[in-house]
Amino acid sequence: MTNTGFTGLQKAAILLITLGPERSAEIVKFLNESEIEQLTLEMANLRKVSEEQRDVVIDEFHKMCLASNYIAQGGIEYARDVLERALGEQRAFEIISRLSASLKMRPFDLVRRSDPKQLFSFIQGEHPQTIALIMTHLPADKAATLLSSLPQEIQAEVTKRIALMGRTSPEVLKEIEKVLENKISNLAPTDYTTSGGIQTVVDMLNRADPGTLKTVMDVLEMDDPDLAEQIKRQMFVFEDIILLDDRGVQLVLREVETKDLALALKGSSEEVMNKILSNMSSRAATMLKEDMQFMGPVRLREVEEAQQKIVKVIRKLEEAGVIVVSRGGADEIIY
């Protein structure tokens, strides 16, 4: 295979350019500001990249994704065996070596692959802070299942601790691993690990069943209104309007002023635009597009404020039971 000579950052920039703006945007939103700045600078500085070099980068990315998936299914040895059969011993060694360094920095690797029901049996009776720390290392869907399994009296407490959690020392992580009866390897990092935070809670609650979500938020609103508002503010963003069914969108549009809607749609994705327009009459859709055209350039702050107004309307209608947001893990809705 041809050696491109590119650094890892350059390969990431080439990958994003190759994927195009829409797919790249889906990836970039998972990065922090520093990573986005570095990638943006690298993309700006990239000069001519041959088609062969681009193909090599894409092929390498694809194989790394496959390797990660194999590791998740059956561990390092399973991944190595599959890759050696498919790619040969040398290529398998190169790929596994790259992934191993990052995997050693991840605590609770076994926990992430465990069934949430089994995890619940491990953590019963543990302190809410211990449970919160374990849950921050789970995928959001597993964390949501585990949260729903907890007694109602501690669900909100655990959620609050996740939201307020900052850095966790290696010693604490090792101690938690011992609590799990030595079923987890010593994967604690050599420095501090960032755990929890508002976004972790949002990802978890977006996948929780409606009953658990209501219980947690009701308690948090009484116990810590500011924290509850921070969580609610991030639980539904304007672009998530595509999660509503057509009836829900129509009900929201009845409550929204045309001026705010036109402003909110400035710079929105084509998918969001189509979702809105498809739920309006032809005349109303034409008027909306004309309003947007005549509006001209607008400040980003004004767009965000208009979007937030609409999000508040959606949240109000959802809390009243008028509409349903299709969060992961929720039951099928019957009208």
Side-chain angles (χ1 to χ4, degrees):
M1 180 172 287
T2 303
N3 184 2
T4 62
F6 291 122
T7 65
L9 191 59
Q10 288 172 327
K11 291 177 183 178
I14 292 170
L15 176 66
L16 292 181
I17 292 172
T18 304
L19 291 175
E22 289 190 12
R23 291 189 178 93
S24 295
E26 291 301 309
I27 296 174
V28 168
K29 67 183 182 182
F30 291 102
L31 305 178
N32 60 43
E33 290 186 9
S34 174
E35 291 167 335
I36 293 173
E37 288 177 8
Q38 292 179 59
L39 273 173
T40 302
L41 183 61
E42 204 60 59
M43 286 190 285
N45 289 331
L46 273 176
R47 295 297 180 259
K48 187 174 181 180
V49 179
S50 70
E51 186 174 346
E52 182 184 14
Q53 290 173 319
R54 184 201 63 193
D55 290 344
V56 169
V57 170
I58 296 297
D59 182 66
E60 182 178 330
F61 172 71
H62 178 242
K63 287 182 171 61
M64 292 286 281
C65 289
L66 287 177
S68 297
N69 186 44
Y70 295 148
I71 290 172
Q73 292 178 35
I76 292 278
E77 292 307 318
Y78 172 76
R80 181 181 288 111
D81 182 50
V82 172
L83 291 174
E84 283 181 356
R85 293 169 186 266
L87 307 174
E89 187 174 337
Q90 182 59 34
R91 286 292 294 139
F93 174 78
E94 292 173 3
I95 294 171
I96 293 296
S97 295
R98 291 180 190 176
L99 288 173
S100 293
S102 60
L103 285 171
K104 288 178 182 177
M105 299 295 287
R106 298 171 63 195
F108 302 122
D109 187 58
L110 181 60
V111 167
R112 279 186 289 272
R113 299 200 305 268
S114 299
D115 183 271
K117 293 180 180 178
Q118 293 178 322
L119 290 178
F120 177 67
S121 66
F122 293 144
I123 66 173
Q124 283 188 88
E126 291 296 332
H127 191 278
Q129 185 69 17
T130 300
I131 298 174
L133 180 58
I134 293 171
M135 288 174 66
T136 63
H137 292 89
L138 295 176
D141 55 344
K142 287 189 176 181
T145 301
L146 191 56
L147 180 69
S148 300
S149 301
L150 297 175
Q152 287 191 358
E153 59 267 22
I154 69 167
Q155 287 177 345
E157 177 66 19
V158 169
T159 301
K160 179 180 177 181
R161 288 175 182 272
I162 294 174
L164 299 178
M165 193 178 295
R167 299 184 304 171
T168 307
S169 71
E171 291 76 18
V172 172
L173 292 177
K174 289 180 181 179
E175 186 61 32
I176 299 301
E177 289 176 340
K178 290 178 182 178
V179 169
L180 295 178
E181 300 180 6
N182 296 319
K183 289 190 175 182
I184 302 172
S185 302
N186 183 12
L187 301 176
T190 56
D191 56 4
Y192 287 90
T193 298
T194 300
S195 302
I198 300 295
Q199 190 56 51
T200 301
V201 168
V202 170
D203 290 341
M204 178 179 65
L205 292 181
N206 274 338
R207 291 164 172 80
D209 62 88
T212 299
L213 173 62
K214 187 176 187 307
T215 298
V216 169
M217 293 309 299
D218 285 350
V219 175
L220 283 181
E221 284 173 353
M222 292 186 292
D223 185 53
D224 195 332
D226 290 339
L227 177 60
E229 182 57 30
Q230 289 182 61
I231 294 172
K232 288 169 68 176
R233 196 179 303 126
Q234 294 188 40
M235 282 198 66
F236 190 101
V237 296
F238 179 72
E239 294 285 320
D240 288 340
I241 199 167
I242 59 175
L243 299 177
L244 298 176
D245 60 18
D246 290 343
R247 174 179 172 273
V249 174
Q250 292 161 17
L251 291 171
V252 170
L253 293 179
R254 294 179 189 175
E255 303 286 328
V256 174
E257 294 183 9
T258 303
K259 178 183 177 181
D260 289 334
L261 183 60
L263 195 54
L265 287 172
K266 279 281 192 178
S268 65
S269 68
E270 184 177 350
E271 188 176 12
V272 171
M273 179 70 74
N274 291 338
K275 183 75 171 181
I276 296 295
L277 295 178
S278 65
N279 282 285
M280 303 177 73
S281 66
S282 299
R283 182 172 176 275
T286 300
M287 291 177 62
L288 176 63
K289 287 188 281 189
E290 288 177 351
D291 286 347
M292 293 177 64
Q293 184 177 357
F294 294 146
M295 193 175 289
V298 294
R299 293 185 178 88
L300 176 61
R301 178 175 55 81
E302 295 175 339
V303 173
E304 291 175 341
E305 288 176 353
Q307 290 180 347
Q308 196 58 36
K309 285 184 181 179
I310 297 175
V311 168
K312 287 182 178 179
V313 169
I314 294 171
R315 192 187 303 154
K316 181 188 71 174
L317 293 176
E318 184 190 21
E319 291 175 349
V322 177
I323 63 173
V324 175
V325 179
S326 301
R327 296 184 175 88
D331 292 335
E332 183 179 355
I333 305 302
I334 300 175
Y335 295 100

